[in-house]
Amino acid sequence: MYHEHPIKILRYSSKNIWLLVFPLLRNIRNFRIGSDYIYGWLRGAWFDIMIIGLIIIFGMIRWRFSVIELEESGIIHRNGIFFRVRTVIPYANISSITFERPLYLMPFNAVKMRCDTSSGILGTADMKLTVSRKLCGIIGDNVPDVRRSTLTNNIPKPTVMSVILFSMFFSSGLSGAVYIAAFFFKGGEIARSIISEYFRRISEGTGKVSAINLFRISDTAYGIGVFFIGAWLISFIINIQRYSRFSVSIDSRCMKLSYGAVTQRNYRIISSYINFVDLRQNLIMKLSGAITVHISCPGYGAGHRSLPVLLPVRREKNMRRELEAIGVFTGTGRDFRPKGIKNYWQYVWSAVIPAVMAFPIHHAVSEVFHGISEITLFAAIMTAVPSVWLTAVRTGAFITSGVSLYDDKIMIRCCRRTTFHTVISDRRKLVRFETEQTLFQKRRRACSVSFWLEGEKQKRFRVKGLSESDVRSISQLLEYNADESTKKKQSHA
């Protein structure tokens, strides 16, 4: 029988921090300036000390009643004072286990342990404990680990450059940050020039009064632009330290990953619980032949700040051999993919129309309102640039999207927002198959197909513009009835 690390007393005590409201009210009621206040506070300090003592005692009691038991079949955690909660997780049901050492816990030799299974509440750990390093080692000896005798040797060691590129590509909105920053940098200059010209025409005196405000407009716009660039830079630095010292080792049943410079994280992932492998790219990565490998497994990458990455940026031409080393075969089965100019239009219309209409609208408006032609030109450029970029992304999605079925695997190639996905999964992990057909698609005998894959939160991957005959073939191979699953939506294609 074991207890959590004593540092957890502070965590349990913090849940009763609301009791400090009573000494606070006492101090506010008796507050007055003068030496008498200090004397009166010292006389009543016993009350403040008693409240703080009660908070700590409550934390110690809760810690004392938090008991960990390690049996041959699993981990048991008992918690609670009046209402006892008993959590049992068999070792055979563990999908992933995480050992995390934040910087603030290192002086205390404490480790945060997170244990997950395929069940439980979405996004939360099935068992989350703070334990000593000694107990962490004992638990680690009982859960599955990679075996050196069966270690896969074909997995490349992630390089520093691959971690840097991964952090750069997957930091919060690189292209969005640059776009917004450019908008405010240039927009501030345009706003200042237009307003200054307007005030110059009114009167010289007004121009003098407003000069300070004009500089404020420009400074504010520059400040907002710098803020967005700085936000991306902070995200990039955080990702660098989070994924540095990245290492991965794999055998036939288990994956072991570790990374982190400030906060050290170690993961053990049971291969049989992996729902699917997700190869991700953005447009720049696709053009340069780079790719990153993610996996879907309960508990791994569950935090909102974490990504379930297995391999950082790698060359796409090497992926086939490296994926086969971890038991993922890309195969060369029959492909079903969108074809035809009409289906291509379904992919790009929402991006092409703003790109084509931006400058005609600018010319029409500037002909009527001459004074704002500079603003409308700037708005047209800022509308056209992301629209052209999105058109390129959607064109790439049309060329590369499709479905492949081979052996007991399914491969789905699609694009979500601006990220290209190649998803590889066992067919038994497919929990839902849905076809959709709009009025416009019906005329050209096309459908959109959605695949819902197993996970703590089911993931949807959608391929648009497949022919009806291909959808029937897919449904037959997957043993679904296409006619019953089709949803006809009265909407635009």
Side-chain angles (χ1 to χ4, degrees):
M1 187 174 67
Y2 303 91
H3 290 283
E4 293 185 79
H5 194 282
I7 195 70
K8 195 64 180 285
I9 293 174
L10 297 178
R11 174 66 176 170
Y12 287 133
S13 298
S14 65
K15 296 182 179 180
N16 297 300
I17 200 73
W18 60 272
L19 289 174
L20 289 177
V21 71
F22 297 111
L24 179 63
L25 291 175
R26 184 185 73 86
N27 290 321
I28 291 175
R29 186 186 62 183
N30 298 328
F31 179 77
R32 59 183 180 276
I33 299 174
S35 58
D36 291 342
Y37 169 73
I38 298 175
Y39 176 72
W41 180 84
L42 290 174
R43 287 185 59 189
W46 64 269
F47 180 76
D48 300 347
I49 295 171
M50 182 187 70
I51 294 295
I52 294 173
L54 285 174
I55 292 174
I56 295 174
I57 290 171
F58 286 155
M60 293 179 67
I61 293 173
R62 289 203 59 183
W63 171 81
R64 188 67 182 175
F65 278 82
S66 177
V67 178
I68 304 168
E69 296 180 10
L70 301 180
E71 296 187 348
E72 292 184 2
S73 59
I75 306 174
I76 301 174
H77 179 223
R78 291 186 175 90
N79 194 23
I81 301 174
F82 301 106
F83 299 95
R84 298 287 287 168
V85 178
R86 184 174 183 265
T87 304
V88 181
I89 298 183
Y91 296 128
N93 291 353
I94 294 176
S95 60
S96 67
I97 189 166
T98 306
F99 301 106
E100 183 177 317
R101 292 190 67 202
L103 187 64
Y104 64 89
L105 289 182
M106 289 184 183
F108 305 98
N109 280 326
V111 179
K112 293 172 68 175
M113 188 198 79
R114 175 186 174 123
C115 189
D116 287 272
T117 67
S118 297
S119 62
I121 301 174
L122 297 179
T124 60
D126 296 306
M127 185 179 290
K128 195 171 184 180
L129 305 170
T130 302
V131 298
S132 64
R133 291 191 66 183
K134 180 180 178 181
L135 180 55
C136 175
I138 296 173
I139 295 173
D141 292 337
N142 285 275
V143 298
D145 196 359
V146 293
R147 295 167 292 188
R148 294 187 179 274
S149 58
T150 58
L151 202 63
T152 301
N153 297 319
N154 294 330
I155 299 299
K157 183 179 180 180
T159 62
V160 174
M161 182 54 66
S162 70
V163 173
I164 292 174
L165 290 174
F166 175 82
S167 301
M168 182 176 69
F169 286 131
F170 288 93
S171 294
S172 301
L174 171 59
S175 57
V178 173
Y179 173 80
I180 294 173
F183 176 85
F184 282 104
F185 287 156
K186 188 61 179 176
E189 294 179 1
I190 293 174
R192 185 173 65 175
S193 63
I194 291 174
I195 296 175
S196 63
E197 178 66 19
Y198 172 77
F199 280 118
R200 186 187 65 78
R201 291 178 181 180
I202 294 177
S203 67
E204 183 180 355
T206 306
K208 291 179 181 178
V209 173
S210 62
I212 296 176
N213 293 329
L214 295 180
F215 283 110
R216 285 178 180 173
I217 291 172
S218 181
D219 292 343
T220 301
Y222 270 89
I224 296 173
V226 170
F227 168 78
F228 281 102
I229 291 293
W232 174 83
L233 184 60
I234 292 172
S235 177
F236 172 70
I237 294 172
I238 290 173
N239 280 343
I240 284 287
Q241 69 83 21
R242 178 176 292 152
Y243 297 105
S244 61
R245 300 169 61 185
F246 197 107
S247 67
V248 55
S249 54
I250 299 172
D251 67 5
S252 57
R253 63 167 185 166
C254 184
M255 299 180 180
K256 188 174 183 178
L257 295 92
S258 64
Y259 48 77
V262 177
T263 298
Q264 299 175 7
R265 296 178 177 89
N266 293 279
Y267 299 90
R268 295 188 195 177
I269 300 168
I270 311 305
S271 301
S272 59
Y273 285 95
I274 294 177
N275 299 310
F276 56 85
V277 176
D278 186 4
L279 313 181
R280 299 186 188 180
Q281 298 170 293
N282 56 28
L283 185 60
I284 296 175
M285 294 174 68
K286 183 169 279 291
L287 294 175
S288 59
I291 202 164
T292 182
V293 182
H294 294 67
I295 58 174
S296 170
C297 182
Y300 181 53
H304 67 282
R305 297 180 180 178
S306 300
L307 290 171
V309 58
L310 177 63
L311 293 173
V313 177
R314 298 290 301 162
R315 298 292 297 178
E316 190 171 7
K317 62 182 181 181
N318 300 327
M319 273 293 103
R320 183 184 181 92
R321 174 176 54 84
E322 294 168 359
L323 288 175
E324 288 179 355
I326 61 175
V328 178
F329 298 92
T330 54
T332 55
R334 184 179 178 185
D335 253 353
F336 305 94
R337 59 183 63 193
K339 300 172 184 176
I341 189 66
K342 292 183 179 179
N343 286 324
Y344 171 68
W345 178 246
Q346 181 185 358
Y347 275 79
V348 301
W349 71 270
S350 60
V352 169
I353 291 176
V356 172
M357 296 299 296
F359 287 99
I361 292 175
H362 151 66
H363 288 299
V365 174
S366 61
E367 286 293 327
V368 179
F369 304 99
H370 301 285
I372 63 171
S373 60
E374 194 172 359
I375 290 179
T376 57
L377 176 60
F378 175 68
I381 293 172
M382 297 305 289
T383 301
V385 168
S387 298
V388 170
W389 178 264
L390 191 57
T391 301
V393 172
R394 299 284 176 81
T395 300
F398 173 76
I399 295 171
T400 60
S401 292
V403 181
S404 298
L405 299 167
Y406 55 94
D407 301 330
D408 61 341
K409 304 288 184 182
I410 179 171
M411 179 187 291
I412 306 161
R413 301 183 186 91
C414 63
C415 181
R416 300 174 68 182
R417 298 185 180 89
T418 58
T419 302
F420 297 90
H421 296 262
T422 300
V423 179
I424 305 168
S425 175
D426 291 338
R427 295 192 197 185
R428 59 187 176 85
K429 298 290 186 178
L430 180 65
V431 296
R432 186 177 173 189
F433 171 78
E434 180 181 81
T435 63
E436 301 174 0
Q437 188 178 62
T438 66
L439 289 176
F440 290 94
Q441 286 178 319
K442 187 174 180 63
R443 293 174 58 185
R444 60 177 186 269
R445 296 184 179 279
C447 296
S448 297
V449 184
S450 296
F451 300 88
W452 301 79
L453 296 178
E454 187 177 314
E456 283 189 302
K457 183 179 181 181
Q458 294 178 6
K459 292 286 186 178
R460 180 193 186 196
F461 298 94
R462 188 166 180 255
V463 181
K464 298 184 293 185
L466 295 177
S467 66
E468 288 182 348
S469 59
D470 283 349
V471 172
R472 289 193 185 95
S473 298
I474 293 172
S475 62
Q476 289 173 2
L477 291 170
L478 294 175
E479 299 179 355
Y480 279 86
N481 189 327
D483 295 329
E484 292 180 1
S485 63
T486 300
K487 285 188 175 182
K488 297 181 180 180
K489 296 187 177 181
Q490 309 300 318
S491 59
H492 292 287

